[in-house]
Amino acid sequence: MASRARVRAPELAGKGGWLNTGGKDLSLADLRGKIVIADFWTFCCINCLHVLDELRELEEKHRDTVVIIGVHSPKFVHEADHRAVVDAVARYEVHHPVLDDPELATWKQYAVRAWPTLVVIDPEGYVVAQHAGEGHAHAIAALVGELEAEHAAKGTLRRGDGPYVAPEPQAGDLKFPGKAVRLPDGHFLVADSGHHSLVELAEDGETVVRRIGDGERGLVDGAAPRFSEPQGLALVPEGLGFDVVVADTVNHALRGVRLSDGSVTTLAGTGRQWWQGSPTDGAAREVDLSSPWDVAWFDGRVWIAMAGVHQLWAYDPAAGTVGVAAGTTNEGLVDGPLAEAWFAQPSGLAVSADGERLWVADSETSAVRWVSRETRSVHTAVGTGLFDFGHRDGAAGQALLQHPLGVTVLPDGSVAVSDTYNHALRRFDPATGEVSTLATDLREPSGAVLVGDDIVVVESARHRLTRLRLPEEAVQVESVAHRTQRAATEIAPGALQLDVVFQAPSGQKLDERYGPSTRLLVSATPPELLLSGAGADTDLSRELVLNEAVAEGVLHVSAMAASCDDDPAIEYPACHVHQQDWGVPVKLTSGGASRLPLVLAGME
């Protein structure tokens, strides 16, 4: 095995303390002899949720030698709330110890720049690798195999159970429900995400009529179906062979449900996650999807909030096809023609009464957006970008939300917004351009359904549906504004060398068979920050020129690299895509750095 740099791992410390350890605080000394994988994540981040799923197999296979430590490092204010972290660990079935680090103490000690980031620490307490983004599970598995052999030979590997202690399970008919839809008979169909199933409730919103799914993760059709963390639901016109379409989020699939007998059919998706370079349209059952979060019947098709790739897709049941409808996969808030717009983890959809607008809850930009059917373009109603959020009513241009997951059209044409991380139900009125607050003290509302003069809210973190009377007057709420608390990197104005560090995993090489295997996309907020260097190219290093007239901003960097088995004897080598998006807050100052290294995989 190749020699590695020896960098002592900093201690793990966080003001929020430890979860999943039976009340015990852990230190690196307690973990000596184990291979430790520190997963820096935050629960709003879809890429972080992808990595949780990527690591499950490795975690199970190497349970006696590997300890995964989740280091929860918040972006939004709500994510610094300890109770919210406890809920998230339960919601996403995290089966390893988690350090709650609300002040980013450990994040700073490890010089982490992006969610998610994985840091591998060997049994002697040294950092041996760092990986940012998704797609690294195979590389880490290979590294774990090497470390097991090396440290077994040295006598420094300690086998046996790790420190994980499972929390007590909580009983209830619903567990972190995602979204709901009202059925023609007045019942509710609820995506019971935490139980990996759908639940039909009576008109009271409480009495269970039936459950579709057995509660186990899986991608199984027929009369005994299985789901994996389903979220969005939508009724569809008659005659399609199914009545409700389901965004089966972690299965990366769309499912169709026939209400007469509860049978389920997979409509779109392969069960595999979409990666850069995969087909973006085609036969629906042959195209990969990526974390579909909500669905809506709009303009004759099922539109999909494809949270995992920051796009809107559409499924055409008549043609049996699926494909991109809007967005570029770049993460951000950019309006314009469908093919040029940028989204950031779209998570909620609703259609206006006249069918002319598709409203979008764009969660990571804390925004409400809309698609015009007539002009085929995207517009922003509320929200300014990835790093500004809060709870502020008034004119939409200055109003603030915090990671909304749902939108619901009201009878007067206004839109109720499930303002998830503000625990509130907000309202945007297109006629006046005003934002107001309808209700507060809702625990992580993720969707809502209109029922006459009432609105039924999915309170995800209270595991229930809550019926509210639509108020005639807004609730008065003290305004508060926030920015992400990550410290800005001090950069000198003028020339800046940007280097994305990528080292192919052991036994692999960059895949150049069909052209360049790397991609780098750079932009900035505000755009004026970059005098030159913006745009896409294949080289992972680039010189940027920063505008000294712009005091601060954010550099947006998106990198991708593909590597394949480096063995000529293998006829069909296994290939893997590694990718990550960085949003790097920068402050221009004389004496600042002239080089910005970002580690995609390896060591700087």
Side-chain angles (χ1 to χ4, degrees):
M1 184 171 62
S3 61
R4 301 187 181 88
R6 302 276 285 175
V7 179
R8 176 65 70 180
E11 189 54 82
L12 303 172
K15 188 175 180 180
W18 289 88
L19 305 175
N20 286 354
T21 62
K24 178 183 177 181
D25 290 344
L26 298 179
S27 68
L28 284 177
D30 298 324
L31 303 173
R32 195 62 51 82
K34 297 288 190 182
I35 300 163
V36 177
I37 301 172
D39 175 15
F40 290 84
W41 70 298
T42 189
F43 62 78
C44 74
C45 161
I46 191 66
N47 311 92
C48 299
L49 303 186
H50 290 166
V51 168
L52 285 176
D53 290 319
E54 287 179 7
L55 292 176
R56 292 186 198 278
E57 182 179 349
L58 182 145
E59 186 171 27
E60 184 59 36
K61 184 177 179 180
H62 298 275
R63 190 167 292 279
D64 66 331
T65 59
V66 171
V67 175
I68 296 176
I69 299 292
V71 182
H72 189 268
S73 312
K75 170 187 174 181
F76 290 100
V77 169
H78 170 60
E79 293 172 306
D81 180 343
H82 182 70
R83 176 62 184 275
V85 180
V86 172
D87 286 342
V89 169
R91 179 194 296 269
Y92 297 116
E93 299 182 355
V94 179
H95 293 163
H96 51 252
V98 173
L99 175 64
D100 181 10
D101 183 18
E103 297 176 349
L104 302 182
T106 296
W107 166 287
K108 294 170 185 174
Q109 286 295 309
Y110 280 79
V112 174
R113 292 185 180 273
W115 299 276
T117 291
L118 298 168
V119 176
V120 182
I121 303 169
D122 73 12
E124 295 179 283
Y126 290 92
V127 174
V128 293
Q130 180 172 322
H131 302 265
E134 304 178 52
H136 301 294
H138 73 287
I140 292 176
L143 177 57
V144 164
E146 294 180 1
L147 290 172
E148 285 177 338
E150 176 187 353
H151 288 274
K154 291 173 65 176
T156 50
L157 184 69
R158 176 167 56 88
R159 295 184 179 273
D161 292 338
Y164 170 68
V165 178
E168 290 292 325
Q170 294 184 343
D173 292 328
L174 299 177
K175 181 181 179 184
F176 299 109
K179 298 184 187 294
V181 66
R182 195 173 187 222
L183 301 178
D185 62 1
H187 289 186
F188 297 93
L189 190 65
V190 182
D192 191 10
S193 308
H195 287 139
H196 311 296
S197 60
L198 310 180
V199 175
E200 183 177 341
L201 300 179
E203 291 183 70
D204 62 7
E206 297 179 4
T207 304
V208 175
V209 176
R210 62 172 165 171
R211 183 175 292 275
I212 301 173
D214 65 4
E216 298 293 326
R217 287 184 188 269
L219 181 56
V220 179
D221 286 343
R226 285 185 170 177
F227 302 88
S228 187
E229 297 181 32
Q231 291 286 341
L233 307 166
L235 291 167
V236 296
E238 295 181 356
L240 297 179
F242 56 95
D243 305 295
V244 177
V245 62
V246 182
D248 195 7
T249 304
V250 178
N251 275 328
H252 309 295
L254 291 192
R255 317 289 294 283
V257 179
R258 190 167 60 204
L259 293 174
S260 60
D261 59 4
S263 65
V264 174
T265 304
T266 298
L267 306 174
T270 62
R272 298 184 301 272
Q273 182 185 337
W274 186 93
W275 290 98
Q276 290 285 353
S278 301
T280 55
D281 60 76
R285 291 289 301 271
E286 298 175 10
V287 176
D288 299 338
L289 309 182
S290 183
S291 297
W293 208 275
D294 202 8
V295 282
W297 183 263
F298 175 64
D299 196 24
R301 296 181 293 171
V302 175
W303 283 57
I304 310 161
M306 201 71 77
V309 286
H310 316 299
Q311 290 179 308
L312 304 181
W313 287 41
Y315 163 65
D316 186 338
T321 57
V322 71
V324 175
T328 63
T329 76
N330 298 328
E331 183 180 14
L333 193 153
V334 176
D335 290 339
L338 295 180
E340 299 173 15
W342 292 22
F343 297 91
Q345 214 169 298
S347 301
L349 302 175
V351 180
S352 62
D354 61 6
E356 289 299 314
R357 288 188 179 187
L358 177 69
W359 293 99
V360 182
D362 203 27
S363 63
E364 278 294 285
T365 53
S366 297
V368 173
R369 322 276 298 278
W370 54 278
V371 173
S372 167
R373 190 182 71 85
E374 179 182 4
T375 64
R376 318 304 290 177
S377 57
V378 177
H379 308 262
T380 296
V382 185
T384 60
L386 286 164
F387 300 99
D388 294 293
F389 53 91
H391 192 147
R392 186 162 64 200
D393 289 332
Q398 57 85 52
L400 294 173
L401 309 169
Q402 186 178 180
H403 198 80
L405 290 180
V407 280
T408 306
V409 174
L410 299 179
D412 63 358
S414 64
V415 180
V417 182
S418 295
D419 193 7
T420 309
Y421 288 2
N422 278 328
H423 307 296
L425 190 67
R426 310 286 293 283
R427 174 178 179 262
F428 167 67
D429 187 351
T432 64
E434 293 286 314
V435 174
S436 57
T437 297
L438 298 177
T440 57
D441 192 32
L442 299 166
R443 282 280 304 284
E444 294 191 13
S446 54
V449 181
L450 194 65
V451 182
D453 293 330
D454 296 342
I455 190 164
V456 176
V457 180
V458 182
E459 280 198 90
S460 189
R462 280 199 177 112
H463 318 290
R464 71 186 188 191
L465 304 189
T466 298
R467 185 183 292 256
L468 304 172
R469 177 70 58 171
L470 281 172
E472 295 182 2
E473 295 185 1
V475 177
Q476 297 299 311
V477 178
E478 184 177 353
S479 294
V480 60
H482 301 288
R483 295 209 86 199
T484 182
Q485 62 173 311
R486 287 182 296 162
T489 299
E490 294 190 352
I491 298 293
L496 173 69
Q497 181 63 35
L498 171 66
D499 293 320
V500 174
V501 178
F502 178 76
Q503 298 162 7
S506 178
Q508 295 211 327
K509 64 178 180 179
L510 289 174
D511 177 21
E512 306 283 358
R513 293 171 300 163
Y514 305 107
S517 60
T518 55
R519 176 178 178 267
L520 179 63
L521 173 68
V522 180
S523 63
T525 302
E528 297 77 26
L529 175 63
L530 276 177
L531 293 176
S532 67
D537 205 342
T538 58
D539 194 339
L540 292 181
S541 293
R542 185 183 304 179
E543 182 176 275
L544 313 179
V545 178
L546 305 185
N547 187 351
E548 63 180 356
V550 179
E552 59 183 327
V554 178
L555 288 176
H556 303 283
V557 180
S558 178
M560 184 272 288
S563 62
C564 293
D565 291 335
D566 187 14
D567 185 346
I570 300 176
E571 184 176 0
Y572 300 105
C575 297
H576 304 272
V577 176
H578 318 256
Q579 63 183 46
Q580 172 62 5
D581 297 329
W582 290 268
V584 183
V586 297
K587 179 184 293 185
L588 270 60
T589 177
S590 60
S594 59
R595 177 175 177 263
L596 177 62
L598 300 174
V599 178
L600 178 60
M603 293 285 287
E604 164 62 5

